[in-house]
Amino acid sequence: MPLHSLRSWLSIERNQTGHGEKWISALGALLGILAVYQLTHWCFPHGFRGNAGGAILLASMGASAVLVFAVPHGALSQPWPVLAGHLFSAFIGVTCQMLAPDHAWTGAVAVGLAVGAMHYLRCIHPPGGATALAAVIGGSDVHALGYQYLLTPVAINVAAILLAAVAFNACFAWRRYPVHLHRRQPRAAAVVPLQRRVDLTQEDFHAAIGQLNSFVDITDENLTELLELAKQHAERDTLHPAAITPGRYYSNGRLGRAWSVRRIAVTPALDGPSSDRLVYAVVAGDGIGSIGHASAAELRQWARFEVAPDDGGRWSKARED
């Protein structure tokens, strides 16, 4: 399926957030940038060093606003990455400009060093790269600031965006910022777990994340909490459906690339060795677009539970009749 392959190559993920959440994020970003401008302009009504043309509002604050208001629980959005990511990157950018001014490669070196520093200092914040680059290509007004660029405008801008994020997200119980406040909320009572041969632990997740050798924009705590909720949800279901009904969808319940959803056709297979064989089409996951046939017993053994497509384009477990 060409469209599915294109979506996979471009990594276009489905967004399950509701319309209200999307508009709340947009409103937060609007108010956040207004707060940055107003606070900076109030502190320096005539610009920096009396130069009204000096930089007041960093363009990288727009990118930070996307993170702290649209992804307030993300690892890249937390206060330390926002604060340290901008300030250390600004320091690196100013230093590179001072040591190698007016070179085509100065901006590239500044961004590269900023990314490396953010990795080692555990403060990866993508807009920090833009802050480092702005120190190099910002023009004479920015160059004249020197290391004052770290305070004005960077530190003032960062303080404003963080204060706005804390105040705005506090208005919504599900959007606490920083994420530590969200973790302190009372959690739903856990269901009694079934007996499992193997149970994943916090240590297993830490080891798995280390094996990825790639930065994941979700905190360990949020990831393990998400897994536990998923396990509790899974424990409410039987291992296999009682029957396979033509016209319905079934999932094998696997994770990652092994996951697959099949739709059972209404008409039986015409070329099967027996009349009880059913045609199925793979509509999601591994083998999408392929067609096969199997007996009802084989499909029951393969299937974990019945599913149904939801409005967001994802699949959810079908409710029992």
Side-chain angles (χ1 to χ4, degrees):
M1 300 180 72
L3 289 179
H4 174 76
S5 299
L6 179 62
R7 185 174 68 84
S8 299
W9 276 102
L10 296 178
S11 298
I12 301 176
E13 296 296 332
R14 296 182 177 93
N15 191 332
Q16 288 186 289
T17 57
H19 294 295
E21 177 68 10
K22 292 179 175 67
W23 282 105
I24 288 173
S25 299
L27 178 62
L30 185 155
L31 296 176
I33 295 300
L34 280 177
V36 173
Y37 177 80
Q38 291 296 335
L39 179 60
T40 310
H41 189 71
W42 177 75
C43 293
F44 303 94
H46 304 295
F48 306 132
R49 292 185 173 179
N51 182 1
I56 290 180
L57 181 63
L58 284 172
S60 56
M61 287 300 111
S64 291
V66 174
L67 290 171
V68 299
F69 294 107
V71 198
H73 296 160
L76 305 181
S77 310
Q78 300 312 300
W80 172 249
V82 176
L83 177 64
H86 278 295
L87 290 178
F88 283 113
S89 296
F91 176 82
I92 291 172
V94 171
T95 302
C96 289
Q97 172 59 26
M98 287 182 169
L99 295 177
D102 302 324
H103 289 286
W105 45 264
T106 303
V109 171
V111 174
L113 291 176
V115 171
M118 287 189 287
H119 256 301
Y120 281 104
L121 295 170
R122 301 180 183 181
C123 59
I124 292 181
H125 188 62
T131 299
L133 186 61
V136 177
I137 66 172
S140 58
D141 289 339
V142 173
H143 297 163
L145 293 173
Y147 287 111
Q148 187 185 347
Y149 174 71
L150 276 69
L151 175 62
T152 55
V154 176
I156 302 296
N157 280 200
V158 168
I161 200 75
L162 286 176
L163 290 174
V166 172
F168 180 82
N169 288 312
C171 299
F172 309 95
W174 65 95
R175 290 173 61 94
R176 292 289 186 256
Y177 182 86
V179 71
H180 176 70
L181 298 178
H182 178 72
R183 296 184 197 133
R184 294 176 60 184
Q185 292 182 318
R187 300 180 182 180
V191 298
V192 178
L194 301 176
Q195 185 66 33
R196 289 191 292 259
R197 293 183 180 180
V198 178
D199 199 3
L200 297 179
T201 67
Q202 183 86 6
E203 291 75 16
D204 294 326
F205 249 95
H206 289 169
I209 292 174
Q211 268 189 295
L212 284 178
N213 196 27
S214 178
F215 188 85
V216 181
D217 187 20
I218 184 172
T219 62
D220 292 357
E221 292 80 3
N222 280 351
L223 197 58
T224 51
E225 182 180 0
L226 182 64
L227 173 69
E228 185 59 33
L229 291 174
K231 288 194 296 184
Q232 292 175 15
H233 192 270
E235 286 165 352
R236 300 188 181 101
D237 299 280
T238 56
L239 292 178
H240 299 283
I244 297 294
T245 305
R248 297 187 178 181
Y249 302 89
Y250 295 89
S251 168
N252 62 356
R254 303 287 294 278
L255 291 173
R257 297 179 181 179
W259 170 74
S260 183
V261 175
R262 295 175 178 177
R263 183 185 186 276
I264 310 302
V266 177
T267 56
L270 299 179
D271 59 346
S274 60
S275 60
D276 69 339
R277 299 186 73 80
L278 299 172
V279 176
Y280 64 83
V282 181
V283 295
D286 183 35
I288 185 171
S290 62
I291 298 176
H293 58 81
S295 68
E298 290 171 340
L299 289 170
R300 280 193 66 251
Q301 186 64 31
W302 173 88
R304 175 74 185 278
F305 40 74
E306 183 182 348
V307 295
D310 58 26
D311 295 336
R314 293 184 180 270
W315 297 87
S316 56
K317 294 179 181 178
R319 296 180 180 179
E320 297 182 359
D321 297 333

